[in-house]
Amino acid sequence: MALVEIDKAYKHYGSVSVLNGLSLNIEEHQVVCLIGPSGCGKSTLLRCINRLETIQKGEIRLHGDRITGPGVDLDVLRREIGIVFQGYNLFPHMSVIENITLGPLKVLGMDRSEARDKGMALLSRIGLAHKADEFPDRLSGGQQQRVAIVRALMMDPALLLLDEITSALDPELVSEVLDIVRDLAAKGMTMVLATHEMGFAREVADKVCFLQEGVVYEEGPPSQIFGNPQGERTKAFLKRIIDAGRL
Amino acid sequence: MNTSAVLANVERANQWRARSKVRAYGALTWAAFSITAITFLAVAATVISIAQFMIQEGWSTGPVWIAGLVPVALSFLVVAGAAKAARFSSKARSSAEVYEARALGAKAAEASWKTISYSVAFLILCALAWFMVVNDAAVSRTFFDMDLIVRSAVTVIKAFGTNVLIFAVSAVLILVWALVIAIARTLPGEAGRPIRTIAIIYSDLFRGLPAIITIYLIGFGLPLTNLPILKDLSSNAYAIIALTLTYGAYTSEVYRAGIESVHPSQIAAARSLGLSYFRTMRYVIVPQAVRGIIPPLMNNCISLQKDTALVAIIGTIDAFNQSKIIASNNFNLSAVTTVAIIFILITIPQARFVDKLIERDRSKRRSG
């Protein structure tokens, strides 16, 4: 049984349909990369998985249990599924350590010293222990995004969603964030990434999904998608990426 | 580059030099000089006439004339400034060196505008001075009877304690009450609708009602209702209730603006950690909302201090009511001026402080 099963999900905003019966399985310890043109539904799909958005038709299951439809405890669901956003979304009125311990303290009921120890351990792992008491606006974009990843990891999620986490970063800061993701992948973290970093997707993904008009147009191992794409649209998309010098 | 292109460039440069002339601002400096001269005459005439009036009223001659010399001397300095501007201008016209001439011209313009603006300020002050002394100094006698102001000060300041009390208690109540209303107004979803609606009706109603009417209705109405407890409160308590209801409505709007100014991505981030709606408000949204609204909250606070004077209508002996009693006993409004002065002394520093906060906030946002 896959960790997450997405079964013919439909989502529209007014008359604009974003997901058109999209189906996708995410296995445990798998890194899935979602690629595709802007507006193809990558971000929406991620936000539907942790129920920041609601699908109108179809079904999403976690551990085989349906998490769409009424009556699902969203606060409990979101402990299982962490998300990191393109714009970091750190809490600007809290220091780094307060940002990352808020969830454990208030949601998991961890005690203060334990939460702090855990936070400091994770911060040291990403080389930011010395920034623990700084406020987010004193950190570079790359540092902020690393903190945001730690904030999600503090909840020990079963699945981590990464929504274009390097898109808002200056080019020279991208690698420090990707290093962490690489490290997490090596440790067996299950992750779904919406990304424009094709080189990185090729390197780290177990499965790459090319999304087009709200469905998975083509999926397969990176060697297939990037080396020998089958669909016409996948080929056309990759050609544009290569022409732009991004792969 | 070919020859014709080079020639075209030379032509273009010549055109630029021909157009870019030195400006000496001759007309402006003359205008400035005329205005300052007229102002000087106006100030002198005002001083002479006021001084004569004061001497006639029994002030001693020497000090009055010496005090009168100060504005005359100052307005003469402005004339001197205009003359200096005129000199800069003529130097600019005669200077052979272009850059130096431009600098002189710029100086002439700058100095002229400065003297003009000082002159206008002087003329406004002259007009005010005339207003005080015309009709045998009717205005000063009515509002600024120094003797009565000094005599009434202690009594009025004591009564001002009532205003301070009403203000302090209602300020605390308002801060809490308004936050409750603001959160009620921003409750999400279908379930929140009835509460939201009530909160909207409340804030519309009390923002629409003039504060003085609310105070009147509560201050005179509640005692008539014969409701237990509510009918026996002091008039201070009625004033506090009325002001809390009125200002709670305004302040809840300030809070709401603050809450809505926090970017939705912050809610998404907090909810994604598994925080419930109320915890998200408590730990993430409200703390950020409050930061941005300190200046408007302070403005409401100043406004509340002033409106404590409205409680005079229900017979509370606050500073205003006390001063009205003194004023009618003496048939002179100067005691009320005392209250006015107290309010001004208290609120102006706060208003300046708010401006500072806003300015600091703005510069922070610019740099960040």
Side-chain angles (χ1 to χ4, degrees):
Chain A
M1 182 177 62
L3 177 66
V4 174
E5 297 153 287
I6 300 161
D7 193 2
K8 299 196 196 65
Y10 285 85
K11 168 82 187 165
H12 57 82
Y13 298 103
S15 62
V16 183
S17 64
V18 187
L19 301 181
N20 280 315
L22 183 146
S23 296
L24 174 67
N25 283 353
I26 300 153
E27 304 292 336
E28 213 139 348
H29 308 303
Q30 204 176 36
V31 177
V32 177
C33 283
L34 309 176
I35 62 169
S38 297
C40 67
K42 302 188 293 282
S43 290
T44 305
L45 178 60
L46 294 186
R47 294 171 73 93
C48 286
I49 295 176
N50 84 339
R51 291 288 304 269
L52 281 175
E53 307 278 351
T54 307
I55 58 172
Q56 280 114 356
K57 234 173 88 185
E59 181 170 307
I60 300 177
R61 289 182 293 274
L62 175 71
H63 304 298
D65 175 38
R66 197 176 63 151
I67 55 166
T68 46
V72 178
D73 188 336
L74 299 184
D75 297 338
V76 174
L77 169 68
R78 287 168 186 156
R79 286 189 220 165
E80 285 292 291
I81 304 179
I83 186 167
V84 181
F85 301 93
Q86 180 178 344
Y88 337 132
N89 300 5
L90 293 178
F91 307 129
H93 61 298
M94 295 182 184
S95 67
V96 165
I97 191 77
E98 287 167 339
N99 259 282
I100 63 176
T101 54
L102 180 70
L105 289 176
K106 304 301 172 193
V107 178
L108 303 180
M110 204 182 269
D111 71 54
R112 192 161 287 279
S113 64
E114 191 190 345
R116 196 182 160 89
D117 290 347
K118 183 173 180 182
M120 290 309 291
L122 279 176
L123 284 179
S124 331
R125 229 172 85 189
I126 60 164
L128 286 179
H130 62 294
K131 298 285 188 188
D133 295 312
E134 291 275 14
F135 282 83
D137 62 357
R138 309 266 299 166
L139 269 53
S140 74
Q143 291 171 333
Q144 287 189 51
Q145 193 59 294
R146 282 145 70 194
V147 172
I149 294 172
V150 166
R151 182 172 67 177
L153 291 177
M154 287 290 284
M155 305 296 290
D156 287 323
L159 169 68
L160 190 59
L161 309 171
L162 304 168
D163 187 2
E164 300 193 16
I165 56 168
T166 57
S167 297
L169 294 177
D170 291 338
E172 79 273 20
L173 302 178
V174 169
S175 69
E176 62 186 59
V177 172
L178 293 186
D179 282 344
I180 294 179
V181 179
R182 203 174 277 128
D183 185 42
L184 288 173
K187 288 196 164 69
M189 185 82 207
T190 314
M191 290 184 282
V192 184
L193 292 78
T195 186
H196 290 294
E197 303 287 343
M198 298 302 160
F200 182 69
R202 176 185 229 167
E203 172 203 327
V204 81
D206 297 305
K207 176 157 89 173
V208 177
C209 301
F210 174 64
L211 267 61
Q212 170 84 28
E213 289 167 5
V215 294
V216 178
Y217 180 80
E218 180 171 352
E219 68 178 283
S223 56
Q224 174 200 325
I225 301 288
F226 293 110
N228 183 23
Q230 305 298 307
E232 286 310 312
R233 289 184 158 179
T234 319
K235 286 179 192 161
F237 175 74
L238 285 169
K239 182 173 177 336
R240 285 201 300 278
I241 297 288
I242 290 163
D243 288 349
R246 299 299 286 268
L247 184 65
Chain B
M1 222 185 294
N2 63 32
T3 333
S4 68
V6 171
L7 282 178
N9 283 351
V10 169
E11 174 71 4
R12 195 71 197 247
N14 286 337
Q15 273 175 12
W16 162 251
R17 279 189 209 101
R19 277 194 215 125
S20 168
K21 288 265 167 57
V22 170
R23 290 192 65 181
Y25 293 99
L28 177 65
T29 51
W30 271 112
F33 188 75
S34 320
I35 291 169
T36 53
I38 293 166
T39 307
F40 175 69
L41 294 177
V43 169
T46 311
V47 164
I48 289 167
S49 116
I50 292 177
Q52 277 171 352
F53 177 78
M54 287 174 82
I55 290 161
Q56 189 191 319
E57 286 286 300
W59 294 65
S60 52
T61 319
V64 167
W65 283 117
I66 290 168
L69 269 179
V70 175
V72 176
L74 286 176
S75 65
F76 183 75
L77 281 182
V78 179
V79 179
K84 205 162 126 200
R87 271 205 308 286
F88 282 139
S89 168
S90 80
K91 260 198 221 158
R93 211 173 304 114
S94 58
S95 171
E97 221 282 299
V98 178
Y99 295 154
E100 190 187 83
R102 279 186 191 157
L104 284 166
K107 256 179 163 172
E110 170 75 32
S112 301
W113 285 121
K114 205 164 129 188
T115 57
I116 290 173
S117 122
Y118 270 105
S119 296
V120 170
F122 265 115
L123 288 173
I124 291 170
L125 290 177
C126 278
L128 287 177
W130 279 107
F131 181 64
M132 300 294 287
V133 297
V134 286
N135 192 15
D136 198 19
V139 173
S140 349
R141 283 178 214 274
T142 309
F143 296 109
F144 300 101
D145 181 340
M146 275 305 165
D147 186 40
L148 185 55
I149 288 180
V150 172
R151 261 193 300 134
S152 63
V154 174
T155 326
V156 171
I157 287 172
K158 269 186 193 153
F160 193 74
T162 307
N163 295 66
V164 172
L165 174 77
I166 293 174
F167 160 72
V169 177
S170 35
V172 173
L173 292 178
I174 288 162
L175 283 178
V176 178
W177 175 234
L179 182 59
V180 172
I181 300 298
I183 288 174
R185 271 206 77 165
T186 48
L187 282 179
E190 193 58 39
R193 189 189 301 275
I195 307 277
R196 259 198 328 261
T197 311
I198 296 274
I200 290 170
I201 292 173
Y202 161 74
S203 72
D204 282 2
L205 204 63
F206 280 90
R207 280 186 302 155
L209 264 176
I212 197 165
I213 292 180
T214 310
I215 293 170
Y216 191 89
L217 287 175
I218 286 177
F220 287 135
L222 284 185
L224 295 178
T225 58
N226 268 332
L227 292 169
I229 304 171
L230 281 180
K231 70 177 197 315
D232 301 321
L233 294 174
S234 68
S235 67
N236 281 353
Y238 292 129
I240 288 167
I241 293 172
L243 286 172
T244 303
L245 286 173
T246 303
Y247 273 83
Y250 284 107
T251 310
S252 77
E253 287 300 296
V254 174
Y255 273 121
R256 188 167 71 100
I259 287 170
E260 285 174 359
S261 73
V262 177
H263 199 272
S265 64
Q266 288 285 312
I267 300 179
R271 296 307 303 273
S272 295
L273 289 173
L275 288 160
S276 65
Y277 177 78
F278 281 100
R279 281 180 165 161
T280 299
M281 292 301 278
R282 157 89 177 76
Y283 297 112
V284 177
I285 306 304
V286 171
Q288 291 185 60
V290 169
R291 251 149 242 241
I293 58 168
I294 286 172
L297 278 182
M298 281 288 292
N299 273 333
N300 271 15
C301 175
I302 294 170
S303 179
L304 171 68
Q305 288 167 38
K306 295 185 299 171
D307 279 359
T308 56
L310 293 176
V311 305
I313 195 178
I314 54 170
T316 311
I317 302 297
D318 75 321
F320 180 41
N321 231 352
Q322 182 66 63
S323 70
K324 280 201 317 194
I325 295 167
I326 300 172
S328 28
N329 288 342
N330 291 274
F331 205 64
N332 184 299
L333 284 187
S334 299
V336 183
T337 306
T338 315
V339 184
I341 292 170
I342 295 172
F343 272 111
I344 286 171
L345 286 181
I346 287 194
T347 50
I348 285 186
Q350 298 180 69
R352 294 269 68 77
F353 178 65
V354 174
D355 283 357
K356 268 243 169 64
L357 280 183
I358 293 173
E359 189 43 48
R360 207 184 59 186
D361 201 44
R362 202 174 284 156
S363 62
K364 213 193 253 168
R365 218 168 289 161
R366 263 198 301 266
S367 68

